[in-house]
Amino acid sequence: MIELDRRLFLKSAALIGCSAAAHPLMTSMTFASVPSDNRLVVIILRGAMDGLDVIQPYGDPMLAKLRQQISTGPDNGALDLDGFYALHPKLQPLMPLWQKGELAFAHAVSTPYRDKRSHFDGQDLLEAGTGNDLPVDNQVGGWLNRLLQSMPQTSAETAYAVGVEQMRILSGQAAHLSWAPRASLTLSPQAQMLLEHVYHDDPLFRDAARDAVRIGSETEMGERAQGPTGDAVALGNFAANRLNGESRIAAFSIAGWDTHANQSQTLGRSLDRLAAAILALRDGLGQNWQRTTVLAMTEFGRTVRENGSAGTDHGTGGAMLMAGGAIRGGRAFGDWPGLGDGQLYADRDLMPTRDIRAYAAWAMRGLFGTDREMLERSIFPGLDLGGDPKMLA
Amino acid sequence: MTFGFPELAAIRLGYGLSPLMPPPKDAAAVLAAVDTAGPGPEAVTTDKAREMSLRLADLTKARKDGGEAEKLEYQVYNRELSRMLVRDLQRRMVRAVDDPVGFGERLVQFWADHFTVAPMSSGNQPLAMAFVDEAIRPHVNGRFEDMFFAADTHPMMLLYLNQNSSRGPNSPFAKRRPEKDFGLNENLAREAMELHSLGVGAPYTQDDVRQLAELLTGLGYTSREGFTFKPQMAEPGAETVLGKSYGGQRRGGLQDIQAAFRDIARRPETAQFVSRKLAVHFISDDPSDALVQAMAATWRDTGGDLPQVYRVMVTHADLASDMRKKVRQPFDLLVSGYRALGITGDDLMALDFPQLPSQTFDTMNRMGQPWSRQTGPDGWPEHADAWIAPQMLAARINWSLQMPSRMLKRQLPDPREFLQTALGGTHSEQLAWAVPKAESEVEGVALVLASTDFNRR
């Protein structure tokens, strides 16, 4: 009996990393060189952000005709950007970034998703990065995962899904890690060994436990941010911490954009969180901020007209925000389609003038040198990359 | 592993084994017990929820004009209301822990998630509780069409999916106020088809969504007036949804809406979509076609008579062959853990603030299931990997280490006995090997609770 126990003990001990050389992931993590010095952060804004309110095209005279209670332009506190567009007043904390050329946006963008306007399908498609012609299911995985598969010299540490929820944008064959900024795990060595044994034949539990033990030991709890933006700050801080190490890609999400009613209040709270997360990234990244591109993307835009409850309903074209020291900011990207008769999509939504994936693709091309064929065939199958918007500095 | 139907049913269809009550002996016992899932003596009504919401409004007003006494009265009441979220979780857990079979309470969880609502403020929490007591529990053992109609016309759903602010663009109400630009809100109509019945793959169009939204205009709820149907806010004329016309010349109000819901509920796409969802929740993330088709066929033959659909699932061979294909969601895990340790509903009722939220609500948060805080109307995810990310598994392991000593006033059970109590004949050899080697009782019991055997069903 004793001999049997000892044999199993040794097997288990190897599994929990007493012997790092025997541990495939540990090995690659320890010895791999990082694939690039550039960093990409993708923030998924769940619930369909109203691009027309966040970046208000007040220079289009139709805007004031379609909306009276929201998106009311610089006369009501929005921050003029270039004489045509104005920033929602709640994004005031990001104005210094705009002035430094570290904040930009692309308007009238969308995924290929059309017409049914379901959040869940819309988000699935945004994170899958596919066109409408492919069935979206769990097998497809996310486009950041396919980016990882295309990069040399990656390890699981290269990409992080940050936060309590799972990020489909990173799901797929390439290994990546996930962690919530406020988790912690302390086990006695014996309990850890026994648990590894119990989880050994169940890869889902085995891998998650191994990562939990390791990440927990590497990241301190840190000062706990309080208040309504506390969670967003924690997400930004943790992502920055990892990106300052060996990670180069991070993804997290901020929910709360489904503003069917009382939009000025609900949108304001979400914008507070978005601004807080971006500033936490900038502050946490220090010098590395100069090599960082942040893309904030949402599943679709919202109706151009206000609805009956001072809100907006699900639409089509929207806006994408970009931030970071690596971008050529302080400017608007994309063609403005207009809001007049015949210029709307289905007579209700902002007409998309460019596929949102094209911007993400050009960002990856600039940051990681991903080639065009890979982007158009594999990472975003069926995408026409189009001309270079020159969004990176 | 040697085990029979009773252990299988307790683990897969209920909240696991308990030293205090025997598992159900056969399928008939499982199905018969669903009847106990109706509203209990603790049920909250819409009227009660209205009363509480009005009282809060009155106290808010009194605070503005009043002095210290009014301020204090408001604070006390507001705090009581804000605590109801955790009280709701507590009472749901109590019923689940004490339910001998558990299948009925599991179904309440399933249907309350299928028809997800989330209170947007603490003032709405009592109404969210009334939603489950009035729209879900009475119909769990009945017909799907009745639950569908009750859920999607319940005041809490009207608030959650913005029906309250939808008006017929050509209704007398909107016509009299052209400057206000009152209009349609499609949210409820869309989710009624996409999430609650047909499924997003079904052949319905944006026009069907819009026409159903128009048919729903007139429905509303405020705490002052209660539930109302106001013809002056309803879009005039007939609406055509999926090829059928409702409303005609004279609007019949709720009856037309009920007719549309009944027809949608009986469509084959609904039979297929909701049957599969049940199978995904109870049997496997990827259930066999044979099971789903058998359930959907019974659904079509019986017009969505739920007990008969359940019977197909409970008696199907996949119940045994797909053992441990599902990961227990955090709510299930906590309840199963309590049951396995012999912790009762009375023990849970004895918990008060601040231990109550820290033991239950906060723990589930860390496991990725913030109670009543689903991110959208599609409810909680079903796929195993949505629940076992490193940070979530860390929370499950921490709970396994800490919960038993905090909740048990008596000594912890011997871990080797606890393995049998909690898992019966279903445990793996690995777990049986590991448990006796734990350094302490705390860690031995934790190994069982944190094991894949216990976290899967």
Side-chain angles (χ1 to χ4, degrees), chain B residues 7 34 100 126 198 200 245 316 367 403 445 457:
Chain B
E7 288 180 340
V34 178
L198 301 166
V200 74
S245 178
H316 200 275
M367 295 179 185
M403 180 276 285
V445 169
R457 56 173 173 77

Side-chain angles (χ1 to χ4, degrees), chain B residues 119-430:
Chain B
M120 294 79 73
S121 67
S122 57
N124 285 328
Q125 182 61 42
L127 199 58
M129 295 160 81
F131 175 82
V132 175
D133 288 329
E134 294 174 334
I136 303 298
R137 286 194 181 275
H139 303 294
V140 161
N141 218 19
R143 304 184 75 77
F144 176 75
E145 63 196 47
D146 295 331
M147 195 193 301
F148 185 30
F149 177 68
D152 279 5
T153 56
H154 191 276
M156 188 62 234
M157 188 66 85
L158 300 183
L159 291 178
Y160 179 58
L161 291 180
N162 308 98
Q163 185 58 35
N164 230 21
S165 52
S166 182
R167 283 105 174 175
N170 299 304
S171 65
F173 179 86
K175 289 264 181 190
R176 275 200 307 275
R177 301 166 180 80
E179 76 288 354
K180 295 267 191 178
D181 201 20
F182 282 121
L184 211 54
N185 190 307
E186 297 169 357
N187 213 10
L188 175 61
R190 182 182 308 283
E191 306 309 10
M193 291 201 264
E194 176 187 326
L195 295 176
H196 299 163
S197 59
L198 301 166
V200 74
Y204 64 92
T205 63
Q206 168 66 29
D207 199 46
D208 290 318
V209 171
R210 189 172 173 86
Q211 301 254 338
L212 182 60
E214 288 178 354
L215 190 67
L216 291 173
T217 51
L219 288 180
Y221 171 82
T222 64
S223 42
R224 293 270 167 223
E225 297 176 311
F227 175 85
T228 53
F229 181 82
K230 293 184 173 165
Q232 70 271 26
M233 289 193 185
E235 182 71 2
E239 308 296 343
T240 305
V241 181
L242 295 159
K244 282 187 124 176
S245 178
Y246 303 92
Q249 288 298 314
R250 288 180 60 83
R251 294 298 297 271
L254 270 178
Q255 273 127 34
D256 294 331
I257 295 170
Q258 187 160 17
F261 273 74
R262 185 194 57 222
D263 291 341
I264 295 170
R266 291 185 180 184
R267 286 185 65 101
E269 296 91 344
T270 301
Q272 180 75 18
F273 179 72
V274 187
S275 292
R276 184 166 199 283
K277 201 167 164 184
L278 269 164
V280 164
H281 183 77
F282 283 94
I283 304 297
S284 165
D285 293 351
D286 189 15
S288 74
D289 261 357
L291 171 63
V292 175
Q293 295 318 329
M295 291 170 72
T298 299
W299 185 299
R300 290 193 302 270
D301 293 347
T302 63
D305 187 31
L306 296 174
Q308 301 196 60
V309 178
Y310 303 152
R311 177 183 302 279
V312 175
M313 182 172 77
V314 169
T315 56
H316 200 275
D318 286 0
L319 182 71
S321 56
D322 284 346
M323 177 70 165
R324 301 251 148 84
K325 289 274 178 74
K326 293 294 299 181
V327 163
R328 276 181 170 149
Q329 292 184 10
F331 179 90
D332 303 31
L333 179 68
L334 264 65
V335 170
S336 303
Y338 297 148
R339 279 174 62 89
L341 285 164
I343 293 163
T344 64
D346 283 346
D347 297 333
L348 289 179
M349 282 312 288
L351 285 177
D352 208 338
F353 288 81
Q355 288 78 22
L356 173 65
S358 86
Q359 283 294 307
T360 58
F361 185 84
D362 299 348
T363 301
M364 282 173 56
N365 248 340
R366 286 189 286 270
M367 295 179 185
Q369 193 169 39
W371 183 252
S372 275
R373 295 283 185 274
Q374 299 91 326
T375 49
D378 55 341
W380 303 116
E382 285 290 348
H383 268 265
D385 55 9
W387 298 108
I388 306 297
Q391 69 276 18
M392 298 172 183
L393 183 56
R396 287 177 185 241
I397 297 168
N398 285 330
W399 170 81
S400 304
L401 283 161
Q402 292 156 5
M403 180 276 285
S405 346
R406 286 185 186 161
M407 288 294 295
L408 279 181
K409 288 168 208 84
R410 52 191 179 278
Q411 210 190 332
L412 290 187
D414 182 307
R416 290 162 299 186
E417 284 166 26
F418 182 62
L419 173 69
Q420 292 303 324
T421 316
L423 294 162
T426 73
H427 65 73
S428 63
E429 282 177 35
Q430 287 97 320

Side-chain angles (χ1 to χ4, degrees), chain A residues 171-203:
Chain A
S171 69
Q173 288 168 8
H176 68 280
L177 291 168
S178 73
W179 192 247
R182 288 168 179 176
S184 68
L185 182 62
T186 316
L187 291 172
S188 74
Q190 174 81 349
Q192 189 177 330
M193 183 277 284
L194 291 172
L195 212 47
E196 287 288 347
H197 181 78
V198 168
Y199 290 161
H200 179 242
D201 292 343
D202 192 321

Side-chain angles (χ1 to χ4, degrees), chain A residues 101-149:
Chain A
E102 296 179 348
L103 182 74
F105 62 89
H107 226 310
V109 292
S110 77
T111 69
Y113 184 61
R114 292 290 181 280
D115 298 338
K116 276 204 172 173
R117 301 182 180 87
S118 147
H119 290 303
F120 322 112
D121 281 357
Q123 287 170 32
D124 284 354
L125 206 74
L126 173 65
E127 295 184 74
T130 59
N132 278 315
D133 48 340
L134 283 175
V136 175
D137 58 36
N138 287 290
Q139 316 309 321
V140 172
W143 56 267
L144 280 182
N145 194 281
R146 293 195 295 278
L147 167 68
L148 276 176
Q149 293 172 39

